[in-house]
Amino acid sequence: MNVLGPERFSNKIVDCQAYSFVCNGIDFETKLPDLIVIPHSVEDVIQVVRLANEYSVPIVPRGNGTAILGCNVAQRGGIMMDMSLMNKIIAIDRENMVGVVEAGCVANDFFNRLDQQGLMYPIRPWFNPQMQMGAWVACNGNGDFASSYGTVGETVVGLEVVLPSGELVRLGSWANDKGFGPFVRYPGGPDLIGLFTGSIGTLGVITKVAVRLLDKPRHVIYHSFGWPREEIDGVSKAAHAFLRSRNICNFSLHNYWSLLQSIHLGVVTLPKEIYFVANIMGFANTESELKAKEEEIGDIGSAYAHDLGKDNARGTHGPPHYVINVGSYKLRRSIPKRTTSGMAWCQFYFYGPTLKFPEWWRFFEEKVSEHRFSDEKRGPHLFAWAVPPQALAPFPAFAYRPDDQEEVQRMKKAFNDIFVGLLKIGCTPYSLGAFIPVDQQRETLGSSYSLYQIVKCALDPKGIFNPGQI
Amino acid sequence: MKNETGMGLLRVKRWIKNCIGCGLCTGPGPIYPFREGGVVPEEEGVPSHKCPMYDHYKFVSASPRGLLYLAATVANRDFPLTEDLVERAYQCLTCGVCNDLCYINKTSAIHALREEIVEHGMGPLPANKEVDKSIRIRNNVFGLPAKERFKWTEGLNLSTEGDFLFFAGCYDSYRYPQEARDVVRIFRQAGLKPAHLGPKEICCGAHAFWDGDTELVKAKAKALVGAIERTGHTEVVVTCADCYRVLVEDYEILLGPLPFKVTHFSVKIAEIFSHGDLRPKHEIRETVTYHDPCRLFNHFMIQDEPRAVIQSIPGIDFVELREGLRWSSCCGSGGMVSLHAFPKFSEEVTIERLNRAKSFAPTLITNCPHCFDLFRKVSKNHGINITIQPLTKLVSMSLGL
């Protein structure tokens, strides 16, 4: 580790312990790495990877550490590579509408810079703007506007990756050193970028990311629609119709419990009978486009839902404040009653088809109730994005008391039971990770699991990259 | 959020697990995400720095979320209190920037961790133990004879009777007696009669509070509050931001409601100026900038009054140092704990702050003797060309004192 200098690595137990943290709460036990390494540059990364390869030492790249399914845990010890110092914004290319950043670039920082130049990145993270771009690509995340632009992986135009052999590769048109840089994803041949999006660091270390950019829209449309609990079928039909229309950029779905804090703060007001709420957003650049889209959104919504007007959607998704509904952040300077009461959240991420929403949501609710985490004072939270072509990406959660050991044990059991149950009924994981049992991964991924294994063995024959995840 | 003391991690065990480790307290960028068209409000700005400890050490363990996670594992999972963990726990400057970024009171949790460390006999760190020894035996942080504390009052005819009590604190009493004398003259010029405890004034124990020695700070608190109570004064004015914090917030937790209120000098003077009882009259043609002491600004949001005082001085050209109107950073003292335990780290924070200030104005106004002392020493030792001036001196010059 002398290649990095003494201040850039540590094997102290206190440092290793801090890197075993998983965002889903301390009640999930995780493993410690043996060594923390903080590279400054691609050359540092290459040197560390080559050393790790030479000595067959596991290596786990890590961003901000906020993935919740355990994909950033050093399951078999080894080196944890913290990418935080590689955080530069390298280029904002207006000509090609591409932004190039180092892997450790914080999304929030990147977006702020883009905003200052009248640009935007197509996806906006809802829960954690401190996530790093490389990690976000490696987990293939999503967020606001995914309804139009897909997942993060779909916005990637180029990648720079250090392979387990220590070889540095660039993918997309970027691969051509004498070319025009990253301007298109497919330079001929298979989609090699797709190998690394969602790979959670098992196939290589992403060191740079090139992503598509958009102009900031001139107009933003907000509209909310709602449904009583018993009209759950209307929710999925509306989601289906909105995704088909392609005139919206965001369909985010909440239930009453996830909006409770916003209701307390007066940001959202709901009629008593409404339980599900969809917040729709659209972009327009001309007045006529604005009018047409507003009309279409209104028409589609009215066909399947109760119209709740524009204010709720603007309140939860509009500027300037960022209201968190599932307990992650709080409106500045307000202390949420729920969290000061000492509750913590157990959170899930997965995908399910829009038209099957009633089926998997009822399953989730029933299971939460069966494990006794639901009563008249606390219900399971629902927050989901609609993702094309026809999927919902929900992040449901239930609250538990972290200082009650019995409840913690019950929570762990519930997490496993519910997650595995969701996968068994046909939902798919949002990303892989140590918290998903390997058997379940195999079953869910089917034949693609074998293909993943083949690719993994080809690229990482010693199995040193983020071992234990798949 | 009110601080509580005693019991180490037991008092925070319940809520420290609520930190989800999002990293907002450390990562660059706006403090919350903006949305389309929703640029961060101008008055908030974008901090280029958040946690000085993380900026320096770069490991997650040296960050608010890292320390909270470690504290949570100690409290909930019997993770051992190792020497390395103890070291990390004392590296935090407790400046409170992180508290302003999310609702979880991280400085309170880190303080609880330090209390836990002391209870287990693993702290405070040796350098801090020396300071605590001085407080215990000599009633001041410097280990100097107690009788020298009130030497600065000679010739001022101060007594325990007056309109309010002026608590000079260790730094002004021992190191900057001229500042203490200026304070008395300023208030007298305004027609007020400041009182002083004389030999009964002792160290407030702020350093002992922040290094986790609750027993010591409680003992000093009892003695000091008792002495103040016997004078019958209902207002105590302080110049030191550390004294202010510990008297306003921590004493009340340790002892219950206090029989007096505590006012910072800059707030008192701003009030006097605004009533027109006293006006700065002499012009001072200088370009100045102002450093917010973290214990005043991050902990209590005292920002307007010092600025009002500076800007009321004729001739002054005031340049804002803060990023936007929102983000300040610690001088490096860290309640004197980091200053003594990690002098290199502390010095680097100070140098960074000075270099930043220098790019704004040739003179830096301070509002706490800790900040003044540290800035003055470090700028001199490192040849950083900037004049450091306490607010008390600026005011007294402008009043022609």
PDB file of all heavy atoms in Angstrom, chain A residues 202-216:
ATOM      1  N   THR A 202     -18.826  -6.338  -9.262  1.00  0.00           N
ATOM      2  CA  THR A 202     -18.358  -7.727  -9.352  1.00  0.00           C
ATOM      3  C   THR A 202     -17.527  -7.992 -10.594  1.00  0.00           C
ATOM      4  O   THR A 202     -16.859  -9.020 -10.685  1.00  0.00           O
ATOM      5  CB  THR A 202     -19.545  -8.720  -9.363  1.00  0.00           C
ATOM      6  OG1 THR A 202     -20.436  -8.348 -10.426  1.00  0.00           O
ATOM      7  CG2 THR A 202     -20.293  -8.709  -8.042  1.00  0.00           C
ATOM      8  N   LEU A 203     -17.578  -7.049 -11.555  1.00  0.00           N
ATOM      9  CA  LEU A 203     -16.870  -7.291 -12.815  1.00  0.00           C
ATOM     10  C   LEU A 203     -15.751  -6.289 -13.075  1.00  0.00           C
ATOM     11  O   LEU A 203     -14.986  -6.451 -14.033  1.00  0.00           O
ATOM     12  CB  LEU A 203     -17.869  -7.252 -13.991  1.00  0.00           C
ATOM     13  CG  LEU A 203     -19.028  -8.247 -13.920  1.00  0.00           C
ATOM     14  CD1 LEU A 203     -19.952  -8.075 -15.121  1.00  0.00           C
ATOM     15  CD2 LEU A 203     -18.523  -9.679 -13.856  1.00  0.00           C
ATOM     16  N   GLY A 204     -15.660  -5.261 -12.288  1.00  0.00           N
ATOM     17  CA  GLY A 204     -14.621  -4.262 -12.493  1.00  0.00           C
ATOM     18  C   GLY A 204     -14.908  -3.028 -11.662  1.00  0.00           C
ATOM     19  O   GLY A 204     -15.984  -2.913 -11.064  1.00  0.00           O
ATOM     20  N   VAL A 205     -13.937  -2.120 -11.624  1.00  0.00           N
ATOM     21  CA  VAL A 205     -14.128  -0.867 -10.881  1.00  0.00           C
ATOM     22  C   VAL A 205     -14.423   0.230 -11.892  1.00  0.00           C
ATOM     23  O   VAL A 205     -13.585   0.528 -12.757  1.00  0.00           O
ATOM     24  CB  VAL A 205     -12.846  -0.474 -10.105  1.00  0.00           C
ATOM     25  CG1 VAL A 205     -13.106   0.793  -9.305  1.00  0.00           C
ATOM     26  CG2 VAL A 205     -12.394  -1.601  -9.202  1.00  0.00           C
ATOM     27  N   ILE A 206     -15.575   0.822 -11.793  1.00  0.00           N
ATOM     28  CA  ILE A 206     -15.900   1.954 -12.664  1.00  0.00           C
ATOM     29  C   ILE A 206     -15.114   3.150 -12.162  1.00  0.00           C
ATOM     30  O   ILE A 206     -15.175   3.491 -10.978  1.00  0.00           O
ATOM     31  CB  ILE A 206     -17.411   2.250 -12.634  1.00  0.00           C
ATOM     32  CG1 ILE A 206     -18.177   1.073 -13.241  1.00  0.00           C
ATOM     33  CG2 ILE A 206     -17.724   3.535 -13.389  1.00  0.00           C
ATOM     34  CD1 ILE A 206     -19.694   1.176 -13.080  1.00  0.00           C
ATOM     35  N   THR A 207     -14.337   3.781 -13.040  1.00  0.00           N
ATOM     36  CA  THR A 207     -13.548   4.935 -12.616  1.00  0.00           C
ATOM     37  C   THR A 207     -14.065   6.239 -13.210  1.00  0.00           C
ATOM     38  O   THR A 207     -13.877   7.301 -12.635  1.00  0.00           O
ATOM     39  CB  THR A 207     -12.068   4.762 -12.993  1.00  0.00           C
ATOM     40  OG1 THR A 207     -12.000   4.401 -14.365  1.00  0.00           O
ATOM     41  CG2 THR A 207     -11.412   3.682 -12.152  1.00  0.00           C
ATOM     42  N   LYS A 208     -14.689   6.161 -14.373  1.00  0.00           N
ATOM     43  CA  LYS A 208     -15.299   7.365 -14.945  1.00  0.00           C
ATOM     44  C   LYS A 208     -16.623   6.982 -15.615  1.00  0.00           C
ATOM     45  O   LYS A 208     -16.772   5.871 -16.130  1.00  0.00           O
ATOM     46  CB  LYS A 208     -14.395   8.018 -15.988  1.00  0.00           C
ATOM     47  CG  LYS A 208     -13.146   8.671 -15.430  1.00  0.00           C
ATOM     48  CD  LYS A 208     -12.452   9.512 -16.486  1.00  0.00           C
ATOM     49  CE  LYS A 208     -11.143  10.085 -15.953  1.00  0.00           C
ATOM     50  NZ  LYS A 208     -10.055   9.130 -15.886  1.00  0.00           N
ATOM     51  N   VAL A 209     -17.509   7.962 -15.629  1.00  0.00           N
ATOM     52  CA  VAL A 209     -18.828   7.745 -16.214  1.00  0.00           C
ATOM     53  C   VAL A 209     -19.133   8.900 -17.165  1.00  0.00           C
ATOM     54  O   VAL A 209     -18.900  10.061 -16.811  1.00  0.00           O
ATOM     55  CB  VAL A 209     -19.903   7.709 -15.103  1.00  0.00           C
ATOM     56  CG1 VAL A 209     -21.272   7.523 -15.692  1.00  0.00           C
ATOM     57  CG2 VAL A 209     -19.614   6.617 -14.094  1.00  0.00           C
ATOM     58  N   ALA A 210     -19.635   8.562 -18.342  1.00  0.00           N
ATOM     59  CA  ALA A 210     -20.123   9.592 -19.262  1.00  0.00           C
ATOM     60  C   ALA A 210     -21.619   9.373 -19.418  1.00  0.00           C
ATOM     61  O   ALA A 210     -22.053   8.268 -19.761  1.00  0.00           O
ATOM     62  CB  ALA A 210     -19.421   9.488 -20.610  1.00  0.00           C
ATOM     63  N   VAL A 211     -22.400  10.409 -19.140  1.00  0.00           N
ATOM     64  CA  VAL A 211     -23.853  10.256 -19.164  1.00  0.00           C
ATOM     65  C   VAL A 211     -24.483  11.298 -20.062  1.00  0.00           C
ATOM     66  O   VAL A 211     -23.940  12.393 -20.252  1.00  0.00           O
ATOM     67  CB  VAL A 211     -24.458  10.382 -17.748  1.00  0.00           C
ATOM     68  CG1 VAL A 211     -24.054   9.210 -16.879  1.00  0.00           C
ATOM     69  CG2 VAL A 211     -24.060  11.683 -17.078  1.00  0.00           C
ATOM     70  N   ARG A 212     -25.630  10.974 -20.573  1.00  0.00           N
ATOM     71  CA  ARG A 212     -26.332  11.940 -21.414  1.00  0.00           C
ATOM     72  C   ARG A 212     -26.894  13.062 -20.541  1.00  0.00           C
ATOM     73  O   ARG A 212     -27.193  12.862 -19.368  1.00  0.00           O
ATOM     74  CB  ARG A 212     -27.443  11.256 -22.213  1.00  0.00           C
ATOM     75  CG  ARG A 212     -28.573  10.705 -21.381  1.00  0.00           C
ATOM     76  CD  ARG A 212     -29.682  10.138 -22.233  1.00  0.00           C
ATOM     77  NE  ARG A 212     -30.473  11.147 -22.893  1.00  0.00           N
ATOM     78  CZ  ARG A 212     -31.733  10.999 -23.260  1.00  0.00           C
ATOM     79  NH1 ARG A 212     -32.335   9.839 -23.031  1.00  0.00           N
ATOM     80  NH2 ARG A 212     -32.392  11.947 -23.871  1.00  0.00           N
ATOM     81  N   LEU A 213     -27.046  14.217 -21.156  1.00  0.00           N
ATOM     82  CA  LEU A 213     -27.607  15.366 -20.460  1.00  0.00           C
ATOM     83  C   LEU A 213     -28.808  15.883 -21.234  1.00  0.00           C
ATOM     84  O   LEU A 213     -28.982  15.584 -22.416  1.00  0.00           O
ATOM     85  CB  LEU A 213     -26.559  16.480 -20.338  1.00  0.00           C
ATOM     86  CG  LEU A 213     -25.252  16.126 -19.623  1.00  0.00           C
ATOM     87  CD1 LEU A 213     -24.296  17.315 -19.679  1.00  0.00           C
ATOM     88  CD2 LEU A 213     -25.498  15.721 -18.189  1.00  0.00           C
ATOM     89  N   LEU A 214     -29.599  16.664 -20.550  1.00  0.00           N
ATOM     90  CA  LEU A 214     -30.761  17.285 -21.186  1.00  0.00           C
ATOM     91  C   LEU A 214     -30.724  18.778 -20.922  1.00  0.00           C
ATOM     92  O   LEU A 214     -30.108  19.232 -19.943  1.00  0.00           O
ATOM     93  CB  LEU A 214     -32.056  16.733 -20.581  1.00  0.00           C
ATOM     94  CG  LEU A 214     -32.278  15.222 -20.597  1.00  0.00           C
ATOM     95  CD1 LEU A 214     -33.513  14.881 -19.760  1.00  0.00           C
ATOM     96  CD2 LEU A 214     -32.467  14.730 -22.023  1.00  0.00           C
ATOM     97  N   ASP A 215     -31.418  19.511 -21.765  1.00  0.00           N
ATOM     98  CA  ASP A 215     -31.641  20.923 -21.435  1.00  0.00           C
ATOM     99  C   ASP A 215     -32.706  20.989 -20.347  1.00  0.00           C
ATOM    100  O   ASP A 215     -33.637  20.187 -20.324  1.00  0.00           O
ATOM    101  CB  ASP A 215     -32.159  21.692 -22.663  1.00  0.00           C
ATOM    102  CG  ASP A 215     -31.063  21.896 -23.689  1.00  0.00           C
ATOM    103  OD1 ASP A 215     -29.988  22.388 -23.286  1.00  0.00           O
ATOM    104  OD2 ASP A 215     -31.277  21.562 -24.868  1.00  0.00           O
ATOM    105  N   LYS A 216     -32.558  21.935 -19.475  1.00  0.00           N
ATOM    106  CA  LYS A 216     -33.611  22.121 -18.469  1.00  0.00           C
ATOM    107  C   LYS A 216     -34.887  22.546 -19.177  1.00  0.00           C
ATOM    108  O   LYS A 216     -34.848  23.405 -20.055  1.00  0.00           O
ATOM    109  CB  LYS A 216     -33.207  23.209 -17.477  1.00  0.00           C
ATOM    110  CG  LYS A 216     -32.383  22.681 -16.324  1.00  0.00           C
ATOM    111  CD  LYS A 216     -31.779  23.761 -15.474  1.00  0.00           C
ATOM    112  CE  LYS A 216     -32.802  24.675 -14.855  1.00  0.00           C
ATOM    113  NZ  LYS A 216     -32.150  25.655 -13.947  1.00  0.00           N
TER     114      LYS A 216
END
